[in-house]
């Protein structure tokens, strides 16, 4: 019995060490392993998405996944004869899902930030974006200062959350309790905005423009743009070890730009023939 107790205590003592070692192994593998040969062999790449993020990737009433990023990802991997499997994930866990190998890429309105660069590798950017404050016109909020004492909502793990923390004097210090209400998805935030439980949503301009345009009461909302918040851009997030996959996506995007397919996809979703692609960055 004493021997069993000693063994049990030894296991308990070793468990934290084993867990740390396991985490290091996952991180090391994500940072060093190039999985392109595996992706090519199975003929499928798995992309993580928030399937309520219009117009990047969202479900139609019949459940079909559509969107700008859906079209773009399929167009890129079609060049390599690889199918795309879109997997709905918890957006707040996206980097963890990527490192664990549950998904091969984050491709869903994923903004490039300094904090994210520490965890993932980014492809070249393909769409410009910025954060805006959406309010109801009846609340008479005309600028960020008018949010003083008001309740702010935003999505967990979003660029807006990072921007809010990075420059607290702009907005965070003004809102009620200096703490925003966090939501898993933007539609949930809009429900509370309409009900008056929150007075503003800090969110991606790309999402706000598309979402409000398709509402029957779009005229009841106001979108405030503050140049104080930095502009950002969307790119594909990858494991740092996936250098070949990064190159394939970069090359694929360049080809779409050259042959005009990128402009067509932009016109389909945004009504303009933007053919923007950011520079290739080999250092992230």
């Amino acid at each position: 019995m004493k021997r069993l107790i000693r063994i049990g205590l030894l296991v308990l003592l070793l468990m934290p060490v084993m867990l740390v070692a396991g985490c290091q192994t996952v991180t090391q593998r994500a940072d060093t392993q190039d999985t392109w040969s595996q992706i090519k062999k199975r003929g499928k790449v798995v992309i993580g998405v928030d399937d309520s993020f219009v117009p990047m990737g969202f479900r139609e009433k019949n459940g079909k996944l559509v969107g700008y990023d859906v079209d773009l990802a399929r167009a890129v991997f079609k060049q390599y004869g690889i199918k795309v499997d879109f997997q709905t994930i918890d957006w707040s866990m996206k980097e963890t899902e990527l490192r664990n190998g549950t998904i091969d890429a984050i491709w869903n309105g994923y903004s490039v930030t300094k904090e994210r660069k520490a965890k993932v590798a980014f492809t070249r950017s393909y769409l410009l974006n910025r954060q805006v404050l959406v309010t109801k016109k009846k609340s008479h909020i005309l600028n960020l200062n008018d949010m003083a004492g008001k309740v702010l909502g935003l999505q967990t793990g979003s660029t807006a959350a990072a921007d809010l923390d990075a420059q607290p004097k702009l907005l965070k210090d003004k809102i009620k309790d200096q703490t925003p209400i966090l939501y898993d998805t933007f539609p949930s935030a809009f429900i509370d905005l309409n009900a008056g439980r929150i007075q503003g949503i800090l969110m991606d301009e790309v999402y706000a423009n598309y979402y409000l345009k398709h509402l029957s009461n779009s005229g009841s909302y106001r979108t405030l743009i503050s140049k104080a918040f930095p502009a950002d851009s969307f790119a594909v997030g990858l494991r740092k070890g996936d250098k070949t996959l990064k190159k394939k996506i970069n090359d694929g995007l360049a080809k779409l730009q050259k042959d005009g397919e990128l402009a067509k996809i932009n016109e389909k979703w945004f009504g303009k023939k933007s053919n923007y692609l950011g520079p290739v960055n080999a250092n992230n």
Side-chain angles (χ1 to χ4, degrees), residues 31 133 146:
D31 288 346
L133 179 68
D146 290 339

Side-chain angles (χ1 to χ4, degrees), residues 220-237:
S220 66
Y221 297 90
R222 177 179 284 113
T223 300
L224 302 174
I225 298 172
S226 173
K227 293 182 179 179
F229 284 116
D232 60 84
S233 57
F234 292 157
V236 185

Side-chain angles (χ1 to χ4, degrees), residues 44 60 95 104 106 112 152 155 160 168 178-179 204 275 283:
K44 180 179 71 174
E60 292 185 316
E95 289 87 6
D104 299 310
I106 304 169
V112 179
L152 177 72
Q155 186 182 33
Q178 298 182 354
T179 304
D204 295 283
N275 215 18
N283 298 318

Side-chain angles (χ1 to χ4, degrees), residues 171-182:
L171 184 57
K172 188 175 183 179
D173 291 351
K174 297 178 174 65
I175 62 175
K176 185 177 181 181
D177 299 326
Q178 298 182 354
T179 304
I181 303 298
L182 301 178

Side-chain angles (χ1 to χ4, degrees), residues 3 5 99 116 122 136 156 163 182 202 227 233 249 252 256:
R3 184 181 179 187
I5 292 173
R99 286 198 301 270
R116 288 171 176 172
F122 281 101
K136 297 289 287 186
T156 304
D163 283 353
L182 301 178
L202 190 63
K227 293 182 179 179
S233 57
I249 294 175
L256 293 179

